[in-house]
Amino acid sequence: MSRLHVVSGKGGTGKTTVAAALALALAAEGKRALLVEVEGRQGIAQLFETEALPYEERKIAVAPGGGEVYALAIDAERALLDYLQMFYKLGSAGRALKKLGAIDFATTIAPGLRDVLLTGKACEAVRRKDRAGRFTYDYVVMDAPPTGRLTRFLNVNDEVAGLARIGPIHNQAQAVMRVLKSPETAVHFVTLLEEMPVQETADGIAELRAAGLPVGGVVINMVRPEILGEAAVEAAANGRRADVVHALAHALERTTPGGARRTGLAEQLVDPLLEQALEHTERLALEHQGRAEVARFGLPTYELRLLGDGVDLAGLYRMARELRKQFTERSEQGVSA
């Protein structure tokens, strides 16, 4: 399995939540994972119900089986100061540049430099080893920008080509790209079974492949339970209202105390619930179409169920367990996760 997992998706698909669940899943059974945020939204801190993350790696969770999840919110300004100190030994001069606003100026006129700094910090964590020669982290998970900006964010070589063709910046970009284009890296997409997110996922996959960046898998998030079953979904898709009514009545008979003997009660409940049932089955029919589109991508696919009460910390751990289960199932089938 790859060591750097980049997670992206259309806004509203839950990519940050999935990235956090993925970090927990990968850290299971005694592993160490670093969860990296690059957009400055402090979404990771909110998910793990902790205070805002500083610009340092901090342990935020214990994974199932005793593993550990660390988190880092990368700040472009602090990363640039680190970079200037590393390559130019500026020391107090770097702090003076910060006070003068030169750092904001530099990353504004050269946005490619900002992306090099952000991706570079994550790639450094992937390569870092301890004194015994062991990797500091087994896995690094990056909560990346949304799909529409992803390829430009990751393809830092192109972004800095006009900025520096030699020197430390060029070398840093080269080092970042060696990691991003290696088998160590997998870029995953989070989608909903809706037309726009699925299409944006298709576009993102095509862009990554064109740029020579490694595509991982697709995580279908917020999947609804199929309460009425395949027949009702097919009936709704084909406009057969009477069949949906029958399926709803049958479902109520099964779940109402007294079962079939309470058929009259079930029939009485059908009319008030029918519109909701039709909406539900129509939605599921659209999801079936979306799932078929995702299958055409030919990528490993994982599904996470919709959590009706929203995602709290307990829900995050449930998502992690579900991902871990699906990883294990793929591994047992001899398919790479």
Side-chain angles (χ1 to χ4, degrees):
M1 181 179 283
S2 301
R3 298 190 58 247
L4 173 60
H5 294 262
V6 179
V7 180
S8 183
K10 180 175 169 32
T13 58
K15 71 175 181 65
T16 298
T17 303
V18 171
L22 177 60
L24 280 170
L26 291 173
E29 308 304 328
K31 303 295 184 181
R32 285 164 58 96
L34 175 66
L35 179 57
V36 176
E37 182 178 86
V38 298
E39 293 186 281
R41 295 184 295 106
Q42 290 291 339
I44 292 172
Q46 294 174 34
L47 281 170
F48 285 95
E49 301 175 4
T50 187
E51 62 187 17
L53 296 173
Y55 182 64
E56 63 183 37
E57 293 159 26
R58 171 180 290 181
K59 182 179 173 180
I60 59 168
V62 175
E68 298 176 328
V69 176
Y70 288 73
L72 170 66
I74 303 178
D75 175 81
E77 183 178 87
R78 291 287 301 274
L80 181 55
L81 286 173
D82 286 352
Y83 177 84
L84 293 173
Q85 174 61 23
M86 182 183 303
F87 289 105
Y88 298 104
K89 310 299 182 187
L90 290 186
S92 59
R95 292 189 292 273
L97 284 174
K98 179 180 178 180
K99 291 180 180 179
L100 291 171
I103 291 171
D104 286 339
F105 178 73
T107 55
T108 299
I109 65 170
L113 174 59
R114 181 181 184 277
D115 293 345
V116 170
L117 296 168
L118 295 175
T119 54
K121 193 72 175 174
C123 290
E124 181 276 326
V126 172
R127 298 190 302 261
R128 191 191 313 154
K129 295 183 179 180
D130 61 21
R131 292 180 179 177
R134 296 169 300 195
F135 285 113
T136 303
Y137 296 105
D138 298 288
Y139 303 103
V140 176
V141 178
M142 181 195 295
D143 177 23
T147 313
R149 295 194 289 115
L150 179 66
T151 302
R152 183 175 179 180
F153 174 77
L154 295 178
N155 202 18
V156 294
N157 245 3
D158 287 350
E159 289 299 297
V160 301
L163 183 65
R165 298 188 182 278
I166 58 172
I169 294 176
H170 173 80
N171 294 339
Q172 174 79 348
Q174 291 280 313
V176 167
M177 291 311 299
R178 280 195 293 273
V179 174
L180 292 179
K181 289 192 172 185
S182 76
E184 287 186 296
T185 299
V187 183
H188 309 292
F189 290 88
V190 181
T191 188
L192 306 182
L193 291 175
E194 298 174 0
E195 183 178 358
M196 288 300 292
V198 170
Q199 183 57 55
E200 194 160 311
T201 299
D203 294 342
I205 291 169
E207 289 177 6
L208 279 189
R209 285 174 171 164
L213 291 162
V215 181
V218 177
V219 179
I220 302 172
N221 197 19
M222 305 184 206
V223 177
R224 287 166 173 75
E226 297 196 3
I227 299 171
L228 299 180
E230 294 284 341
V233 174
E234 182 183 354
N238 293 294
R240 300 200 306 273
R241 183 183 178 96
D243 289 349
V244 179
V245 172
H246 176 75
L248 177 58
H250 184 63
L252 287 169
E253 288 168 18
R254 293 198 317 271
T255 57
T256 302
R261 294 171 302 179
R262 302 291 296 277
T263 302
L265 175 60
E267 293 294 345
Q268 292 174 32
L269 291 172
V270 164
D271 284 341
L273 293 176
L274 179 56
E275 290 307 315
Q276 292 184 40
L278 285 169
E279 182 181 341
H280 175 73
T281 51
E282 287 166 359
R283 171 73 190 198
L284 289 179
L286 290 173
E287 289 194 352
H288 282 202
Q289 295 174 22
R291 189 177 280 106
E293 290 295 323
V294 171
R296 292 190 184 100
F297 300 156
L299 297 172
T301 303
Y302 310 92
E303 295 197 10
L304 293 171
R305 289 170 290 178
L306 175 68
L307 299 179
D309 297 329
V311 181
D312 56 10
L313 194 55
L316 196 61
Y317 274 85
R318 284 200 298 274
M319 293 172 70
R321 286 194 294 271
E322 185 58 37
L323 282 175
R324 188 74 186 180
K325 176 184 174 184
Q326 293 179 50
F327 292 160
T328 301
E329 288 172 353
R330 291 188 66 83
S331 178
E332 290 175 349
Q333 294 167 5
V335 181
S336 177

